[in-house]
Amino acid sequence: QVKLVESGGGSVQAGGSLRLSCAASGYTHSTYCLAWFRQPPGKGREGVATISNGSAIFADIVKGRFTIYKNRANLYLHMNTLKPEDTAIYYCAAQPRASNSLCPTAMQLDDYDYWGQGTQVTVSS
């Protein structure tokens, strides 16, 4: 059973930084696609960043401020210049990748079967 555990959330002032971690375990396939999503208060879950074919892909609203990287089975999101609108619960998501396919780039919820519990990020002005 794939298990994803996010950590690193917290409360910061606008302009601050946080690094989120996603520890993955229980993989049954050799390769997984990984992504970060977030759910702002009162809104739906949205894609933030993912890695496909070795390239990092970001939502426009975080481009230039967030960095995503992977180390073995773990995924990280380094968030700089945080804004109050970045306040959300941040989720890590995973999906097995077939050997002859690329990871999805559109960051759609339906592309991922496995989700973590989320970590809260609160940015105050």
Side-chain angles (χ1 to χ4, degrees):
Q1 181 72 16
V2 174
K3 184 177 180 182
L4 304 173
V5 179
E6 302 94 338
S7 62
S11 297
V12 296
Q13 290 191 326
S17 298
L18 282 174
R19 189 185 81 156
L20 305 184
S21 300
C22 172
S25 62
Y27 279 170
T28 57
H29 291 71
S30 59
T31 309
Y32 282 76
C33 299
L34 297 170
W36 285 101
F37 287 77
R38 70 185 185 185
Q39 187 162 9
K43 297 183 179 181
R45 200 169 296 191
E46 60 189 22
V48 175
T50 188
I51 299 173
S52 178
N53 197 28
S55 296
I57 298 165
F58 299 95
D60 287 344
I61 53 176
V62 305
K63 202 172 292 183
R65 299 187 296 121
F66 290 11
T67 302
I68 184 174
Y69 55 99
K70 189 167 64 170
N71 181 5
R72 296 189 178 182
N74 299 327
L75 186 68
Y76 303 90
L77 186 69
H78 198 164
M79 306 184 294
N80 292 318
T81 320
L82 283 162
K83 304 176 180 180
E85 50 264 44
D86 294 319
T87 295
I89 301 174
Y90 284 72
Y91 297 91
C92 177
Q95 178 65 19
R97 179 177 72 87
S99 59
N100 60 348
S101 67
L102 298 176
C103 288
T105 59
M107 294 184 282
Q108 296 179 334
L109 300 180
D110 290 346
D111 287 335
Y112 299 89
D113 287 340
Y114 301 100
W115 294 83
Q117 296 282 68
T119 184
Q120 176 71 48
V121 171
T122 302
V123 184
S124 58
S125 57

